[in-house]
Amino acid sequence: MSNPTVVHLALPKGRMQENVQTLLADAGIRLTFDRRGYRPTLSLPGFETKLLKPQNIVEMLHVGSRDVGFAGADWVAEKEVELVELFDTGMDPVRIVAACEPSFLQEGRPRPGPFLVATEYERLTRRWLERERLEGRVVRTYGATEVFPPEDADCIVDNTSTGATLKANGLAIFAELLRSSTRLYAHPGSMDDPAKREVIEHLVVLVRSVMDARKRVMVEINVPPGQLEALVAVLPCMRYPTVSPLHAGTGFAVKAAVPRDGLPTLIATIKAAGGTDIVVSDIAQIVP
């Protein structure tokens, strides 16, 4: 009797952890944690799970001790590893930027000549310096990179979501190296294994169903018989709306999943097309 397929999943510990765990919970995947909290059990069969720092997830995926995991695109680029990107969640968006005190800049660029760059992103920074033909020397940091200028470095390369921390430390952004977000990656060899690939692709379907649902809302509308086609024509639904007759032939009930970000304008359009009694509700998952 053959052993069941087990896929080794890495979940991020730290800044990304809450959003990823909420994403899984919204997909109906429950996590039960052990006493130490590093090896949760998933309610979804076929997975053995461990919590790791995002940087370590990238490395473990690269060497193949983990089959699939959530990590930031910035660390995949920094580690220069070949992984299969399965899905971009769009969560935890950050920019990798170069920043310094304004006095260090000359016409928006670092002053000519040698200078010191403090960063956790050594490879990304060196590639940027080479690309821009700058004479920077890299100093590796281990957190709190923003405090290095001006005494211990001329500028920094760091990640930022709002820029508030940089600004609070008197630093101004003068270059953007990369944009990153939380993404689901797989080891290439795991995707070449048909049994593992099937398990992994099922996880992708569940994750994608939640992310797609977050972009849409369900609208339910009543409309008189003579205005049904005009209403259907203005609904940006996924394929076709669901239409049901109302009691005594008084009209129709129309239901459609529509883009969330266009809702304020759409409601006015629906009203103009004859729609009434509009009900808007959240969607948990959308599976094609």
Side-chain angles (χ1 to χ4, degrees):
M1 186 174 180
S2 61
N3 293 326
T5 300
V6 175
V7 170
H8 297 88
L9 169 66
L11 299 180
K13 188 169 181 63
R15 178 176 55 86
M16 297 178 181
Q17 183 175 352
E18 183 178 350
N19 283 340
V20 169
Q21 290 181 202
T22 299
L23 174 61
L24 295 176
D26 289 348
I29 303 172
R30 299 187 307 278
L31 279 72
T32 304
F33 286 87
D34 65 357
R35 183 177 300 177
R36 290 180 299 171
Y38 284 93
R39 300 175 186 272
T41 301
L42 262 63
S43 62
L44 185 67
F47 289 92
E48 181 270 308
T49 310
K50 182 186 284 188
L51 264 65
L52 296 166
K53 289 186 176 181
Q55 300 95 314
N56 295 132
I57 289 176
V58 172
E59 292 170 336
M60 296 306 98
L61 287 172
H62 177 56
V63 300
S65 66
R66 296 280 113 186
D67 297 302
V68 63
F70 291 90
D74 52 343
W75 285 108
V76 173
E78 168 62 20
K79 299 291 185 181
E80 296 181 334
V81 296
E82 292 294 327
L83 300 177
V84 179
E85 183 178 317
L86 300 171
F87 187 71
D88 182 358
T89 70
M91 299 187 306
D92 307 299
V94 295
R95 296 183 296 152
I96 311 304
V97 300
C100 65
E101 291 193 342
S103 60
F104 176 64
L105 298 178
Q106 183 176 312
E107 296 182 354
R109 288 172 57 86
R111 295 192 303 265
F115 62 93
L116 211 56
V117 189
T119 185
E120 290 185 272
Y121 299 98
E122 293 181 272
R123 292 188 180 96
L124 282 174
T125 300
R126 288 194 175 97
R127 292 202 297 268
W128 167 67
L129 291 170
E130 183 178 352
R131 187 168 62 246
E132 296 296 322
R133 299 181 180 180
L134 297 171
E135 298 181 58
R137 183 163 64 90
V138 177
V139 175
R140 175 74 161 86
T141 64
Y142 299 89
T145 304
E146 67 275 3
V147 304
F148 274 68
E151 301 89 354
D152 301 300
D154 297 296
C155 67
I156 67 170
V157 169
D158 203 4
N159 64 65
T160 183
S161 54
T162 66
T165 300
L166 298 176
K167 187 176 181 180
N169 283 273
L171 305 180
I173 296 171
F174 65 89
E176 181 178 298
L177 282 65
L178 181 76
R179 294 199 173 204
S180 178
S181 56
T182 301
R183 304 179 189 185
L184 184 62
Y185 292 97
H187 177 66
S190 301
M191 298 303 291
D192 291 336
D193 182 325
K196 287 189 174 183
R197 185 184 185 101
E198 182 178 358
V199 175
I200 291 169
E201 287 182 343
H202 182 53
L203 175 63
V204 173
V205 167
L206 296 176
V207 170
R208 189 184 298 275
S209 73
V210 173
M211 298 308 301
D212 288 346
R214 289 179 180 178
K215 297 174 185 176
R216 291 181 176 266
V217 293
M218 185 67 72
V219 293
E220 300 176 64
I221 314 141
N222 290 344
V223 62
Q227 293 173 281
L228 174 62
E229 294 305 322
L231 175 66
V232 169
V234 300
L235 284 179
C237 49
M238 296 176 65
R239 289 193 177 94
Y240 302 99
T242 300
V243 179
S244 305
L246 294 174
H247 178 67
T250 55
F252 296 93
V254 181
K255 181 187 288 190
V258 302
R260 183 185 293 272
D261 58 5
L263 189 62
T265 303
L266 180 61
I267 287 178
T269 303
I270 289 171
K271 295 286 287 182
T276 62
D277 307 315
I278 303 168
V279 177
V280 179
S281 56
D282 286 330
I283 306 170
Q285 291 175 263
I286 296 176
V287 181

